[in-house]
Amino acid sequence: MATIAFGSSLVSVRAEQTHAVRSSLLYTQNFNFLRLKRSCASSMTRWRGVGVPRATAEAVGGGVIERGEEVKEKEKGSVLRVGVVCGGPSAERGISLNSARSVLDHIQGGDIHVNCYYLDAGLNAFAISPAQVYSNTPADFDFKLESLAQGFRSLSDFAEHLAGSVDIVFPVIHGQFGEDGGIQELLEKYNVPFVGTGSSECCQAFDKYNASLELSKQGFITVPSCLVQGSEADESELSKWFARNQLDVESGKVVVKPARAGSSIGVTVAYGVADTFSKANAIITEGIDSKVLVEIFLEGGSEFTAIVLDVGSGLDSHPVVLLPSEVELQFHDSVDKDAIFNYRRKYLPTQQVAYHTPPRFPIGVIESIREGASQLFRKLGLRDFARIDGWFLPNSIHVPTLSDSKFGRTEMGTIFYTDINLISGMEQTSFLFQQASKVGFSHSNILRSIIRRACMRYPNLAPFCSASDHVPRRSKTSLRSEPVCKGKRKVFVIFGGDSSERQVSLISGTNVWLNLQAFDDLEVIPCLLAPTIVKNKVDLSSRTVWSLPYSLVLRHTIEEVLDACVEAIEPDRVAHTSHLRDRVVHDLTEGLKKHSWFTGFDITDELPVKLSVEQWIKLAKEVQATVFLSVHGGIGEDGTLQSLLEVEGIPHTGPGVMASKICMDKLATSLALNHLSDLGVLTINKDLRRKEDLISSSIPNLWHELTSKLHCETLCVKPARDGCSTGVGRLCCADDLLVYVKALEDCLHRIPPNSFSKAHGTIEMPNPPPELLIFEPFIETDNIIVSSKSRNEKGHQILWSGESRWVEITVGVVGTQGSMRSLTPSITVRESGDILTLEEKFQGGTGINLTPPPSSIISNEALQKCKKHIEIIANSLELEGFSRIDAFVNVDSGEVLMIEVNTVPGMTPSTVLIHQALAEEPPLYPHEFFRTLLDLALERTVYTP
């Protein structure tokens, strides 16, 4: 049994707390009224229907609800039924879920209806609800599939279902069974139309070794390579290959990668024959692949990736290569000397990589890359779209055994094509959308164009290849001071800042911006709060805000967005980009003008605009904008931005100044709630320490002092005033404390995994280090294991001993001040260590959340009590709009042990708040949820002097 230390809370309940309790009982009426009011206001014109993943179409204004057979009849007519299939057996299945979510968001509605399907790791097929696509990882719902999804007895039954239920399939399975021809062969066998390349062509292109042989046969220069295969692999053959390619057998640098595992999984650098053979065998023995490709490391080369879009007709291919992107790895220390563009750098926010679209290569080289990729697409028989990766090696770099006669030689250097991605990643900021937006395509427009192009191959889909009723909305992101258009409301979505959660802020802001674009009565403008050069400088007069054109938002880090802004207004770079863009647009137009379904490009070519914070606020007031705050931590969450906006009477999302200040300070939050124990709200004892005092203290004495004072054996340390995941760690001994204090003293940006005595993930640290830190007893909870293989005696796939009776939850609260409503809590499950990492909390493809909490862990009665206690917290702190509360809950009594409040919570595509909104009845889908939060900004209480 775990021991839990609670703070003192023997204070009588004042009248205002009684009022807060009574107010919390009114949340349902308040929230539903707001929802109804917004729905009625939107009726016919405001909502374009994009991103509405429901089989039910509701026209609230006219009082008509189309359901059941009426919807089916509609679907058989002018509505194209698209089956999006995700999941699969590869390690990229989480990314597949992210891609499916993005496709669903951007094609659903109007003349396209989406059905969602999922293949688990064992290739069992399920028809899933759209709500499940918004899960953070497949593990979030794998264990619920049998009860919540329609399963199919076999893949044959699945294919027969698809043949009768959808018009065309859009496979978004990355890696095995998605790009190796597996699902394509199944669909071909049952005559099901699908988007993308055929099965035999997929099979050849997916295998990197076979693809390399075919490229060489077709006249392309290829990277010298060697195949290590199966248990019979011979190290002597590898030694001979090293010698032939003039590589030192002891230290020659090579890339080792699975031949058939996608572009990112298992890729590593090796030195010499022994290291190479060892790493190749590791890939084989770990079951990643039985074939391993060894390639010369192209030292001094620049990596690029290019999207190819087929704009031909019927079976005639007309591939057009969009503006390629240069992949720049940025080395920060000696550890990065072996850096490659691996899985983490490709899919998770990191400052270790930056992208340049178009590349910083000479125009002639870029044109050669485009010409070669187009030829490759044709020669390998690819269809609809693909992503082709490669390298450019300047003439100054010599690579042995290269033929001068093959395609790839230019006056400036050599071009290699190394990887063919047949189902390119389709996350919101993926290369597909980055490059497409540079030449005029929005997310929706490029995806719909790919689908319509695929339909042209199938005679039975000819009716869907005629003129479309769907007209893409011209996206404007101008921040110029203009009169408010009649019926249009300006929304400034601001993200960025200085905190260690700024990359999450970018993902949140991008997601909000894209979702709110679904409403025709809104003009939504993305705005970057630029990081300060001097980290500890707080003078707001030095802060700048950039309004961003569509394409510049689609980046992985705040620093990359800022660099792109500066680069975009540099005259030579502008001319370089403009020339290349015009060429690509011309090539696209030559093909697309023949198709009646293509209604034009919908992204305008704009430049970013730089303003001071004061100018930005003045402009927001002039155009009567509402500000959607997505700046996590720092001035976005401590009341600073809120104060600046409220002084000018500008409505903004989330709580006001005082509530923000209190909730940003974890000690102040605890003190504000420590009188509520009689109402089921408990707080944790805390000890506040200054950074300087920690650095100068005797660590053994300090450890003894803290554990004695807090009556515990292990500690939780966290910044007193920072975001919810930054700098939080579990300390089990004095040595752990020493490591943490040393990290503060050395101003480390992160503490590496497993630096403490107990296993943990990477701990992102605030920069600069926090001046104040809080120590509190570490709350022990029983591990929850989500398994698709193990089952306990009750048949559940959740393993939990339940000894401590406490679990960690996170829950959103929504509403107006005094009447906040608790959404359905989620139980958080850690994949490694004892503290949830930033990635586990916010990044799609990582982390597990159980929403709603399984009844095998907490009863419905205790859950309802928990929600009431959460509402008491929200109303006592005078929260409004929306926030997220993290806490521990007793699964028997529903008592809540408070951790912290986040007044600008993460709003990423897979954030837990989305899961909880989808658990509402009826479900609130992302665009609708964010619209509700935006409308609440106009309901909030603003105090002006």
Side-chain angles (χ1 to χ4, degrees):
M1 296 290 287
T3 301
I4 300 179
F6 304 125
S8 174
S9 54
L10 301 178
V11 180
S12 62
V13 181
R14 301 190 300 266
E16 55 264 38
Q17 278 77 55
T18 304
H19 171 71
V21 177
R22 291 172 179 168
S23 296
S24 69
L25 301 177
L26 302 176
Y27 71 84
T28 303
Q29 180 180 0
N30 170 275
F31 189 68
N32 288 341
F33 173 75
L34 176 72
R35 191 180 196 178
L36 178 62
K37 183 171 68 173
R38 182 185 49 70
S39 297
C40 292
S42 64
S43 65
M44 301 292 186
T45 61
R46 197 172 70 188
W47 166 43
R48 293 184 293 128
V50 176
V52 188
R54 303 189 195 190
T56 301
E58 298 182 25
V60 179
V64 178
I65 299 179
E66 296 179 20
R67 297 183 185 273
E69 295 303 318
E70 295 176 67
V71 174
K72 291 180 182 178
E73 289 301 317
K74 182 179 178 183
E75 290 171 0
K76 291 178 182 177
S78 60
V79 175
L80 179 69
R81 300 172 300 168
V82 177
V84 173
V85 184
C86 64
S90 86
E92 293 182 277
R93 56 204 298 264
I95 303 303
S96 169
L97 186 61
N98 297 345
S99 293
R101 185 188 307 122
S102 186
V103 171
L104 179 63
D105 276 344
H106 296 294
I107 70 170
Q108 177 74 294
D111 54 358
I112 291 181
H113 174 78
V114 180
N115 293 329
C116 299
Y117 301 93
Y118 172 74
L119 298 180
D120 69 10
L123 291 183
N124 300 298
F126 300 87
I128 62 174
S129 74
Q132 286 179 285
V133 176
Y134 294 93
S135 297
N136 207 30
T137 69
D140 278 359
F141 62 83
D142 269 353
F143 73 96
K144 297 184 288 188
L145 283 171
E146 291 184 7
S147 60
L148 295 181
Q150 173 193 346
F152 298 95
R153 290 176 298 178
S154 65
L155 288 177
S156 297
D157 285 348
F158 174 49
E160 289 178 354
H161 166 84
L162 291 174
S165 300
V166 303
D167 298 308
I168 191 167
V169 168
F170 197 145
V172 290
I173 299 175
H174 303 309
Q176 296 170 11
F177 199 72
E179 295 179 88
D180 62 1
I183 192 168
Q184 291 82 3
E185 184 177 12
L186 176 69
L187 296 173
E188 288 167 350
K189 179 179 179 181
Y190 287 86
N191 297 313
V192 180
F194 61 90
V195 173
T197 299
S199 61
S200 60
E201 293 81 4
C202 280
C203 184
Q204 180 183 57
F206 181 70
D207 186 311
K208 295 180 179 66
Y209 183 70
N210 290 344
S212 177
L213 295 177
E214 182 63 23
L215 285 176
S216 181
K217 179 181 175 182
Q218 294 289 346
F220 290 86
I221 294 178
T222 57
V223 181
S225 62
C226 175
L227 185 67
V228 178
Q229 188 168 5
S231 57
E232 304 299 322
D234 188 352
E235 188 171 345
S236 64
E237 289 298 317
L238 187 61
S239 297
K240 293 176 184 177
W241 179 82
F242 264 69
R244 284 197 303 270
N245 287 279
Q246 302 172 33
L247 294 172
D248 189 289
V249 294
E250 298 294 331
S251 60
K253 190 174 182 181
V254 297
V255 176
V256 182
K257 55 188 175 183
R260 301 165 300 184
S263 61
S264 307
I265 301 298
V267 184
T268 186
V269 171
Y271 291 88
V273 173
D275 186 34
T276 301
F277 195 71
S278 173
K279 288 178 176 175
N281 276 327
I283 291 173
I284 295 170
T285 56
E286 290 172 14
I288 298 175
D289 197 359
S290 60
K291 293 174 66 176
V292 179
L293 190 66
V294 179
E295 294 178 337
I296 289 178
F297 189 99
L298 298 177
E299 199 83 62
S302 298
E303 191 169 1
F304 66 82
T305 186
I307 297 294
V308 187
L309 184 66
D310 183 6
V311 295
S313 301
L315 298 178
D316 296 329
S317 176
H318 180 179
V320 174
V321 181
L322 305 185
L323 288 179
S325 299
E326 175 190 356
V327 180
E328 180 192 13
L329 294 180
Q330 299 179 325
F331 307 138
H332 299 286
D333 51 48
S334 60
V335 177
D336 291 328
K337 63 185 176 69
D338 296 336
I340 53 176
F341 192 42
N342 59 14
Y343 182 88
R344 191 188 193 286
R345 292 186 177 95
K346 183 175 291 186
Y347 294 118
L348 300 177
T350 172
Q351 293 186 60
Q352 297 175 336
V353 64
Y355 308 110
H356 305 275
T357 308
R360 300 165 300 174
F361 307 156
I363 285 180
V365 172
I366 296 173
E367 290 295 357
S368 294
I369 288 172
R370 294 188 62 236
E371 179 188 350
S374 177
Q375 287 189 28
L376 186 156
F377 191 93
R378 274 200 181 98
K379 290 178 181 294
L380 294 187
L382 309 187
R383 300 193 315 212
D384 299 335
F385 78 116
R387 196 188 84 230
I388 298 173
D389 302 340
W391 289 78
F392 170 64
L393 212 62
N395 282 330
S396 58
I397 308 297
H398 172 68
V399 176
T401 69
L402 292 184
S403 168
D404 291 329
S405 62
K406 294 188 176 183
F407 182 88
R409 288 290 191 192
T410 73
E411 292 182 0
M412 305 295 293
T414 306
I415 297 167
F416 302 87
Y417 299 101
T418 55
D419 288 286
I420 301 165
N421 300 273
L422 300 156
I423 301 178
S424 174
M426 285 165 272
E427 295 180 295
Q428 286 183 343
T429 58
S430 67
F431 289 120
L432 172 65
F433 300 127
Q434 284 186 27
Q435 296 180 21
S437 66
K438 275 288 187 181
V439 295
F441 287 104
S442 67
H443 288 64
S444 175
N445 202 5
I446 186 66
L447 290 171
R448 285 169 169 264
S449 296
I450 290 169
I451 293 169
R452 297 295 180 186
R453 169 63 186 96
C455 287
M456 298 180 72
R457 282 196 304 278
Y458 303 97
N460 61 311
L461 297 182
F464 300 108
C465 300
S466 57
S468 172
D469 293 333
H470 178 81
V471 179
R473 177 184 176 186
R474 309 293 163 179
S475 177
K476 290 182 62 179
T477 57
S478 172
L479 201 59
R480 293 170 298 174
S481 178
E482 300 171 340
V484 179
C485 299
K486 186 176 181 181
K488 288 272 188 179
R489 173 175 158 199
K490 286 212 177 193
V491 179
F492 292 176
V493 179
I494 186 167
F495 46 85
D498 292 307
S499 83
S500 53
E501 292 183 273
R502 62 190 179 278
Q503 315 307 355
V504 176
S505 171
L506 173 59
I507 303 172
S508 293
T510 301
N511 190 43
V512 170
W513 162 63
L514 287 171
N515 271 281
L516 290 180
Q517 287 191 96
F519 297 93
D520 281 328
D521 68 327
L522 299 180
E523 184 178 337
V524 190
I525 300 167
C527 303
L528 169 69
L529 176 63
T532 54
I533 298 175
V534 182
K535 293 294 183 182
N536 58 358
K537 190 172 182 178
V538 295
D539 183 9
L540 285 174
S541 64
S542 67
R543 303 302 297 260
T544 58
V545 175
W546 291 79
S547 77
L548 303 174
Y550 196 111
S551 64
L552 292 194
V553 185
L554 307 179
R555 296 292 188 273
H556 290 81
T557 69
I558 291 297
E559 291 74 16
E560 191 185 336
V561 176
L562 184 59
D563 289 345
C565 287
V566 175
E567 189 178 77
I569 59 177
E570 198 276 319
D572 290 343
R573 183 66 175 171
V574 170
H576 179 77
T577 301
S578 179
H579 173 81
L580 291 166
R581 182 192 295 113
D582 290 345
R583 292 288 299 271
V584 175
V585 170
H586 174 269
D587 294 346
L588 287 168
T589 304
E590 283 298 300
L592 291 172
K593 68 183 182 182
K594 302 173 185 177
H595 306 317
S596 59
W597 48 261
F598 183 69
T599 54
F601 301 103
D602 55 343
I603 300 298
T604 57
D605 181 20
E606 298 176 317
L607 293 177
V609 178
K610 183 179 180 181
L611 299 170
S612 68
V613 169
E614 289 85 353
Q615 290 172 326
W616 179 76
I617 290 175
K618 180 181 179 182
L619 185 57
K621 185 175 183 178
E622 288 177 359
V623 300
Q624 301 174 34
T626 302
V627 174
F628 202 118
L629 293 173
S630 301
V631 179
H632 303 315
I635 69 170
E637 209 161 349
D638 67 3
T640 302
L641 275 182
Q642 291 83 351
S643 177
L644 293 172
L645 294 169
E646 290 181 18
V647 164
E648 297 298 330
I650 300 169
H652 64 82
T653 54
V657 177
M658 290 308 300
S660 297
K661 284 183 177 179
I662 291 172
C663 293
M664 186 65 169
D665 187 325
K666 297 177 178 67
L667 183 58
T669 305
S670 184
L671 292 174
L673 300 173
N674 67 5
H675 56 273
L676 298 176
S677 64
D678 290 345
L679 299 178
V681 176
L682 310 173
T683 58
I684 307 173
N685 283 331
K686 292 175 171 58
D687 189 284
L688 186 68
R689 299 287 172 135
R690 295 184 60 82
K691 179 190 68 175
E692 289 80 3
D693 296 337
L694 296 176
I695 293 172
S696 62
S697 296
S698 163
I699 296 300
N701 292 342
L702 178 61
W703 177 260
H704 177 74
E705 181 184 343
L706 288 169
T707 53
S708 298
K709 182 176 179 180
L710 295 172
H711 307 290
C712 61
E713 295 181 358
T714 61
L715 298 170
C716 181
V717 61
K718 59 184 73 172
R721 302 186 183 113
D722 212 305
C724 58
S725 302
T726 305
V728 182
R730 180 183 184 179
L731 310 178
C732 297
C733 61
D735 288 344
D736 292 348
L737 178 57
L738 178 62
V739 170
Y740 192 92
V741 172
K742 184 64 174 172
L744 295 174
E745 184 178 12
D746 294 344
C747 301
L748 295 185
H749 289 191
R750 61 190 60 85
I751 297 176
N754 304 324
S755 297
F756 298 152
S757 58
K758 198 172 189 303
H760 65 87
T762 299
I763 299 174
E764 299 289 341
M765 296 294 287
N767 182 32
E771 293 301 319
L772 296 172
L773 293 109
I774 285 176
F775 292 89
E776 59 189 30
F778 182 84
I779 306 302
E780 295 276 3
T781 59
D782 299 310
N783 287 334
I784 298 173
I785 300 174
V786 177
S787 173
S788 58
K789 297 179 181 179
S790 302
R791 294 170 178 265
N792 62 19
E793 65 276 6
K794 296 183 179 179
H796 299 298
Q797 292 173 293
I798 297 177
L799 306 179
W800 178 64
S801 64
E803 292 181 6
S804 77
R805 313 308 293 163
W806 290 86
V807 295
E808 186 175 350
I809 62 167
T810 185
V811 54
V813 289
V814 181
T816 55
Q817 189 177 117
S819 301
M820 294 293 283
R821 178 195 178 192
S822 169
L823 301 178
T824 298
S826 301
I827 292 179
T828 54
V829 180
R830 298 176 293 274
E831 293 186 302
S832 62
D834 296 293
I835 305 293
L836 288 170
T837 65
L838 276 173
E839 291 166 0
E840 287 177 323
K841 281 200 173 185
F842 302 116
Q843 176 65 36
T846 60
I848 300 172
N849 295 297
L850 306 181
T851 312
S855 58
S856 59
I857 294 179
I858 182 170
S859 68
N860 183 62
E861 180 182 1
L863 184 63
Q864 295 308 314
K865 289 180 180 178
C866 167
K867 292 173 70 173
K868 298 299 181 189
H869 296 147
I870 292 294
E871 287 159 7
I872 291 171
I873 293 171
N875 291 314
S876 296
L877 293 172
E878 298 186 344
L879 301 180
E880 54 188 313
F882 73 111
S883 296
R884 196 188 78 237
I885 296 174
D886 297 339
F888 298 99
V889 62
N890 185 288
V891 298
D892 299 317
S893 67
E895 286 181 302
V896 168
L897 177 59
M898 183 65 186
I899 300 176
E900 62 194 2
V901 179
N902 301 280
T903 55
V904 185
M907 291 161 279
T908 64
S910 57
T911 182
V912 71
L913 291 183
I914 298 295
H915 310 170
Q916 294 173 10
L918 288 166
E920 292 293 294
E921 188 56 48
L924 273 170
Y925 282 85
H927 76 283
E928 190 178 12
F929 178 59
F930 291 128
R931 183 60 193 250
T932 297
L933 304 184
L934 180 68
D935 289 343
L936 278 168
L938 298 179
E939 303 282 327
R940 66 184 315 280
T941 303
V942 178
Y943 299 101
T944 56

